[in-house]
């Protein structure tokens, strides 16, 4: 190039700017500084712009690295010479320098940082229109492989932070966009650069960082997953300061704009991130109250699994989740949420979440989900009843859970549902309700039927949990309703193998469970028509199990009928199972429940039918321990009583004057018993024939 191409630079200055020696380039920069001052003094603006164009394009944009270095030092010298007038030429000065920030030569990048530092130091706030370009360039240099370049960029970075902090008109909205674009970098140095800017600007009083926090909250939370401890700590501190500011002035925070971000991160695997997100959710629910109800399903999705954490490292997460769960539940009130017009509570989405967490989750989570169902049924029953159909089958399946706590809570929920009357226009299954006495709701009978199906299909459930479930139901609901309904449905049970087993379970509960004390007394006294009706209804079902039928008659003090039943046992098939049941009955007769029966053996005149019934049981038993136990008991009857009684053929027993007894047709009951036993005999005979036929077919197949 000719000398004219570099005007207004002299040829000597051009050579010096292109020299590889720094001192020569420095001397050229001093010459440029004098030239610029002269241009300013003489108002030679056109020549000044030409000078900056030459330095920016021909030198800073040169292919020669030394020329680029010369151009950079020349631009810095120009800014120094311009002083306060630099603000008129910021684009001409800054943009060529920024282009060198990505130079492949680390020395050029270093000089670019130094040059821009000098420009910014002179121009101050005038560089802010180019803040986006400067910030972008600095964010890249923060991860520069050369330490000298990083050191230089840090000096420029601190200067930019000072300038931004001093300017109340700084565009925070635009800055948030810049942050958001770079926050997801995986480079730890870039992350450190970003978090440092957030920390510095948050400390500036005039900058309302909280209002714009939704823009960058997701990125900040993700930084907590950073393996670099320093970044994790810095980010944790910054987020803690943000939360403190929100607590001090909640009106500035956009809760609804941030809650979904927190819900997502509250489900993270990283413990630090998860704890931070759930802590924020807790404060949000406390501070904004019912504004959080539309997000209840998402919050529950996040916190319910946390309730099952059992490791020390996640203890804080579990306890914070418990707090969220408690506070959120208190936001639901009868007055404000029991109307379908209330749009704050999206029950459909909440129920969907609860159903999800009732299946294949840990015990504390399932219990909490069940407590939520109960809480909603208690506070918003008119709305929850619309979701019972989708909840009901899930609640039934939960009865098979291995944890007593879960089953107990599940039964409480089911009892709450069954205690609530049906909504207008919904009467349930008419056929079932006609059969079932005093149904609480259409779900009362449906539940009993479904429960019996569960027991019928899963013998282990009946054996392991049957007694527990029925006893709890008798506490939560009315024991008489439960037993009447079970009796009504089971009387029509076609599975003749299942019915005796179910009767055995119900009979054992009736005779032994403290929860059925009142029901036992009602049956024992038979003081009303209602009690005799109950006895007859249970008797009809108990006929499936001969020994249970006798125990029912002993409980109700119908000793004459008990004696008649036992005399008919001679025509029944006596199996090992049958004898075991008699053995168990003898054991029960020694229990506190039957104290009144044992004392009655002392009455004068004695009750010959009771004595006959007990001797009948004795005669049925082989000489086992139960046999000797009953014999010893009968030997305790005073001899005088027997001598004055049936041993001499004298019957002095007084008639049973109880009002309920007069309502009972015992001949009809005996016929019912014999008819049912005949059905069992035929059923067993048919089963044996089928078994023989199957064995015959198998033999034919083998041949």
């Amino acid at each position: 190039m000719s000398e004219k191409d570099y005007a207004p630079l002299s040829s000597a200055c051009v050579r010096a700017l292109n020299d590889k020696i720094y001192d020569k380039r420095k001397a050229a920069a001093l010459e440029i500084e004098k030239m610029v001052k002269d241009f300013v003094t003489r108002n030679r603006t056109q020549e000044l712009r030409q000078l900056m164009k030459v330095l920016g394009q021909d030198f800073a944009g040169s292919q020669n690295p030394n020329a680029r270095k010369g151009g950079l030092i020349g631009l810095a010298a120009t800014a120094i010479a311009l002083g306060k007038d630099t603000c008129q030429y910021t684009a001409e000065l800054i943009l060529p320098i920024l282009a060198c920030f990505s130079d492949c030569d680390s020395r050029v990048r270093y000089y670019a940082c130094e040059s821009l530092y000098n420009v910014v130091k002179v121009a101050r706030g005038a560089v802010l229109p180019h803040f986006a370009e400067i910030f972008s360039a600095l964010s890249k240099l923060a991860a520069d492989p050369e330490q000298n370049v990083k050191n230089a960029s840090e000096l420029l970075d601190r200067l930019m932070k000072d300038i931004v902090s001093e300017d109340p008109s700084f565009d925070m909205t635009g800055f948030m966009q810049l942050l958001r674009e770079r926050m997801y970098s995986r480079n730890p140095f870039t992350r450190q650069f970003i978090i440092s800017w957030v920390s510095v600007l948050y400390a500036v009083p005039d900058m309302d960082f909280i209002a714009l926090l939704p823009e960058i909250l997701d990125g900040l939370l993700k930084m907590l997953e950073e393996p670099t401890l320093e970044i994790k700590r810095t980010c944790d501190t910054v987020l803690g300061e943000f939360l403190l500011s929100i607590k001090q002035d909640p009106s500035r925070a956009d809760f609804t704009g941030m809650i979904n971000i927190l819900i997502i991160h509250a489900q993270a695997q990283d413990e630090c991130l998860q704890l931070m997100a759930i802590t924020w959710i807790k404060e949000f629910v406390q501070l904004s109250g019912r504004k959080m109800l539309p997000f209840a399903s998402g919050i529950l999705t996040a916190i319910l699994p946390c309730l099952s954490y059992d490791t020390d490292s996640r203890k804080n997460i579990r306890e914070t989740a418990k707090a969220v769960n408690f506070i959120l539940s208190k936001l639901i009130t009868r007055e404000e949420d029991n109307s379908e017009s209330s749009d704050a509570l999206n029950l459909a989405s909440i129920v969907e979440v609860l159903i999800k967490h009732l299946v294949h989750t840990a015990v504390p989570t399932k219990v909490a989900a069940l407590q939520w169902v109960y809480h909603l049924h208690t506070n918003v029953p008119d709305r929850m009843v619309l979701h019972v159909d989708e909840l009901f089958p899930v609640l039934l399946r939960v009865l098979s859970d291995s944890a007593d706590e879960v089953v107990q809570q599940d039964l409480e929920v089911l009892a709450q549902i069954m205690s609530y009357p049906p909504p207008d226009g919904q009467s349930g299954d008419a056929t079932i309700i006609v059969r079932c006495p005093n149904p609480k709701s259409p779900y009362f009978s449906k539940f009993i039927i479904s429960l019996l199906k569960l027991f019928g299909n899963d013998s282990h459930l009946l054996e392991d949990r049957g007694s527990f479930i029925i006893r709890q139901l008798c506490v939560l609901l009315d024991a008489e309703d439960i037993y009447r309904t079970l009796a009504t449905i089971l009387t029509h049970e076609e599975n003749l193998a299942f019915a005796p087993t179910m009767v055995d379970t119900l009979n054992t509960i009736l005779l032994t469970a403290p929860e059925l004390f009142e029901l036992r007394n009602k049956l024992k006294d038979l003081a009303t028509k209602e009690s005799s009706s109950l006895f007859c209804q249970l008797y009809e079902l108990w006929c499936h199990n001969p020994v249970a039928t006798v125990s029912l008659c002993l409980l109700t003090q119908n000793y004459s009928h008990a004696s008649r039943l036992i005399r008919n046992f001679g025509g029944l098939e006596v199996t090992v199972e049958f004898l075991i049941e008699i053995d168990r009955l003898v054991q029960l007769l020694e229990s506190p429940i039957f104290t009144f029966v044992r004392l009655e053996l002392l009455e004068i005149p004695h009750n010959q039918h009771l004595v006959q019934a007990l001797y009948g049981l004795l005669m049925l038993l082989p000489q086992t321990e139960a046999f000797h136990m009953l014999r010893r008991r009968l030997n305790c009857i005073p001899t005088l009583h027997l001598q004055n009684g049936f041993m001499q053929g004298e019957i002095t027993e007084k008639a049973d004057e109880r009002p309920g007894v007069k309502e009972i047709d015992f001949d009809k009951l005996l016929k019912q018993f014999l008819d049912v036993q005949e059905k069992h005999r035929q059923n067993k005979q048919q089963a044996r024939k089928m078994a023989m036929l199957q064995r015959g077919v198998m033999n034919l197949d083998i041949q």
Side-chain angles (χ1 to χ4, degrees), residues 74-287:
L75 289 169
T78 302
I80 293 169
L82 284 170
K84 63 180 181 179
D85 294 326
T86 305
C87 60
Q88 302 176 37
Y89 306 99
T90 52
E92 290 90 338
L93 292 168
I94 291 173
L95 297 180
I97 297 174
L98 288 175
C100 294
F101 270 52
S102 56
D103 199 281
C104 59
D105 189 326
S106 63
R107 296 300 297 168
V108 172
R109 297 197 301 276
Y110 173 82
Y111 283 118
C113 290
E114 186 180 67
S115 177
L116 188 56
Y117 179 88
N118 286 311
V119 173
V120 171
K121 189 175 182 180
V122 174
R124 305 297 293 182
V127 304
L128 290 181
H130 303 284
F131 177 80
E133 295 96 322
I134 296 173
F135 184 84
S136 177
L138 284 172
S139 69
K140 295 174 182 175
L141 288 186
D144 198 281
E146 289 293 329
Q147 188 60 45
N148 286 338
V149 176
K150 282 203 290 186
N151 292 340
S153 72
E154 287 172 4
L155 288 173
L156 175 59
D157 180 52
R158 284 198 291 271
L159 179 59
M160 287 300 300
K161 287 171 181 171
D162 290 341
I163 293 170
V164 168
S165 300
E166 295 167 358
D167 193 327
S169 63
F170 179 67
D171 180 14
M172 282 291 293
T173 303
F175 175 62
M176 287 295 184
Q177 183 176 352
L178 292 173
L179 284 179
R180 190 172 64 248
E181 291 171 355
R182 290 161 180 80
M183 293 197 83
Y184 299 100
S185 170
R186 294 188 176 276
N187 188 289
F189 297 105
T190 303
R191 287 187 165 189
Q192 184 68 55
F193 169 80
I194 294 295
I195 195 66
S196 69
W197 267 95
V198 172
S199 181
V200 167
L201 292 191
Y202 166 68
V204 179
D206 295 333
M207 295 185 181
D208 192 1
F209 223 103
I210 299 301
L212 298 171
L213 193 54
E215 296 289 322
I216 60 167
L217 181 61
D218 180 65
L220 284 174
L221 289 167
K222 278 187 174 296
M223 287 188 186
L224 288 173
E225 295 179 300
E226 170 63 49
T228 305
L229 189 58
E230 182 182 357
I231 297 174
K232 186 186 285 282
R233 285 176 176 172
T234 304
C235 190
D236 184 83
T237 301
V238 169
L239 284 165
E241 291 173 351
F242 282 154
L243 188 56
L244 182 60
S245 293
I246 291 172
K247 290 167 67 176
Q248 291 171 346
D249 186 4
S251 62
R252 295 165 57 201
D254 181 3
F255 292 108
T256 58
M258 292 185 279
I259 186 63
N260 282 327
I261 297 170
L262 296 171
I263 288 170
I264 292 171
H265 289 295
Q267 302 171 65
Q269 295 298 313
D270 184 272
E271 293 178 13
C272 181
L273 171 56
Q274 190 177 29
L275 177 59
M276 180 64 74
I278 294 179
T279 301
W280 276 58
I281 290 174
K282 177 173 75 73
E283 298 299 338
F284 276 28
V285 174
Q286 283 183 321
L287 294 170

Side-chain angles (χ1 to χ4, degrees), residues 336-461:
E336 297 184 75
D337 294 305
N338 207 30
S339 169
E340 291 185 29
S341 61
S342 173
D343 57 359
L345 200 61
N346 186 342
L347 277 181
S349 61
I350 293 176
V351 168
E352 182 181 352
V353 170
L354 296 176
I355 288 175
K356 175 184 175 183
H357 287 91
L358 285 174
V359 186
H360 305 304
T361 50
V363 168
T365 297
K366 278 188 279 198
V367 170
L370 288 166
Q371 288 170 342
W372 264 98
V373 177
Y374 185 90
H375 183 66
L376 292 170
H377 266 287
T378 302
N379 287 278
V380 289
D382 290 342
R383 297 180 61 194
M384 275 300 288
V385 75
L386 302 177
H387 300 280
V388 170
D389 284 336
E390 55 187 308
L391 274 166
F392 198 67
V394 181
L395 295 172
L396 285 170
R397 289 200 297 273
V398 174
L399 288 175
S400 302
D401 197 273
S402 58
D404 284 352
E405 187 180 2
V406 173
V407 176
Q408 169 71 38
Q409 189 65 52
D410 189 41
L411 289 169
E412 290 183 21
V413 173
L414 286 163
Q416 180 69 13
I417 293 172
M418 290 184 283
S419 299
Y420 192 72
D424 293 341
Q426 181 178 333
S427 59
D429 188 329
T431 304
I432 295 171
I433 291 179
V434 167
R435 285 193 200 166
C436 297
N438 191 25
K440 301 292 184 182
S441 77
Y443 294 100
F444 184 85
S445 50
K446 287 181 181 179
F447 168 70
I448 298 297
I449 290 172
S450 300
L451 179 63
L452 290 173
K453 285 182 179 178
L454 280 176
F455 288 155
N457 294 331
D458 187 350
S459 59
H460 294 294
L461 177 63

Side-chain angles (χ1 to χ4, degrees), residues 369-662:
L370 288 166
Q371 288 170 342
W372 264 98
V373 177
Y374 185 90
H375 183 66
L376 292 170
H377 266 287
T378 302
N379 287 278
V380 289
D382 290 342
R383 297 180 61 194
M384 275 300 288
V385 75
L386 302 177
H387 300 280
V388 170
D389 284 336
E390 55 187 308
L391 274 166
F392 198 67
V394 181
L395 295 172
L396 285 170
R397 289 200 297 273
V398 174
L399 288 175
S400 302
D401 197 273
S402 58
D404 284 352
E405 187 180 2
V406 173
V407 176
Q408 169 71 38
Q409 189 65 52
D410 189 41
L411 289 169
E412 290 183 21
V413 173
L414 286 163
Q416 180 69 13
I417 293 172
M418 290 184 283
S419 299
Y420 192 72
D424 293 341
Q426 181 178 333
S427 59
D429 188 329
T431 304
I432 295 171
I433 291 179
V434 167
R435 285 193 200 166
C436 297
N438 191 25
K440 301 292 184 182
S441 77
Y443 294 100
F444 184 85
S445 50
K446 287 181 181 179
F447 168 70
I448 298 297
I449 290 172
S450 300
L451 179 63
L452 290 173
K453 285 182 179 178
L454 280 176
F455 288 155
N457 294 331
D458 187 350
S459 59
H460 294 294
L461 177 63
L462 176 59
E463 181 180 347
D464 298 338
R465 288 304 178 85
S467 178
F468 176 77
I469 290 172
I470 294 169
R471 288 174 62 181
Q472 293 303 313
L473 284 172
C474 289
V475 173
L476 295 167
L477 297 168
D478 184 84
E480 183 174 342
D481 280 349
I482 296 294
Y483 264 72
R484 279 187 181 273
T485 307
L486 284 167
T488 302
I489 296 169
L490 280 169
T491 299
H492 303 278
E493 176 62 49
E494 296 180 357
N495 184 349
L496 294 181
F498 171 63
T501 304
M502 196 67 216
V503 169
D504 183 54
T505 301
L506 293 173
N507 186 58
T508 302
I509 297 169
L510 177 63
L511 296 179
T512 62
E515 297 88 349
L516 276 79
F517 175 78
E518 296 296 334
L519 187 61
R520 280 197 298 273
N521 278 348
K522 186 171 186 177
L523 287 166
K524 174 185 170 184
D525 295 339
L526 286 181
T528 63
K529 290 183 179 181
E530 183 184 356
S531 60
S532 65
S533 167
L534 174 61
F535 166 74
C536 291
Q537 191 170 16
L538 295 182
Y539 183 97
E540 186 177 3
L541 172 61
W542 261 236
C543 286
H544 287 282
N545 189 311
V547 179
T549 311
V550 169
S551 67
L552 179 63
C553 291
L554 292 175
L555 175 67
T556 56
Q557 303 181 75
N558 290 309
Y559 305 128
S560 174
H561 193 70
S563 178
R564 291 177 70 188
L565 287 174
I566 293 172
R567 286 199 296 271
N568 279 280
F569 281 7
L572 303 180
E573 180 181 358
V574 178
T575 63
V576 173
E577 291 78 10
F578 181 81
L579 294 175
I580 290 173
E581 289 182 12
I582 295 178
D583 190 295
R584 287 172 52 205
L585 175 56
V586 171
Q587 302 286 342
L588 279 172
L589 288 170
E590 293 295 318
S591 71
I593 298 295
F594 283 104
T595 299
F596 71 95
V597 173
R598 299 196 300 274
L599 289 174
E600 210 165 315
L601 294 172
L602 300 176
E603 291 292 326
I604 300 176
H606 68 273
N607 191 319
Q608 69 162 354
H609 298 298
L610 172 58
V611 176
Q612 284 178 338
L614 296 180
Y615 269 105
L617 293 175
L618 186 70
M619 293 302 105
L620 288 168
L621 283 169
Q623 295 190 29
T624 60
E625 177 57 33
F627 171 88
H628 294 295
M629 182 188 301
L630 182 55
R631 186 185 64 177
R632 287 193 295 268
R633 176 63 65 184
L634 291 171
N635 286 340
C636 293
I637 302 174
T639 308
L640 180 62
H641 293 188
L642 294 177
Q643 289 175 349
N644 291 330
F646 75 94
M647 294 288 287
Q648 298 178 2
E650 299 176 9
I651 301 175
T652 57
E653 183 179 9
K654 61 181 179 180
D656 193 334
E657 298 295 333
R658 290 177 295 169
V661 175
K662 297 177 181 179

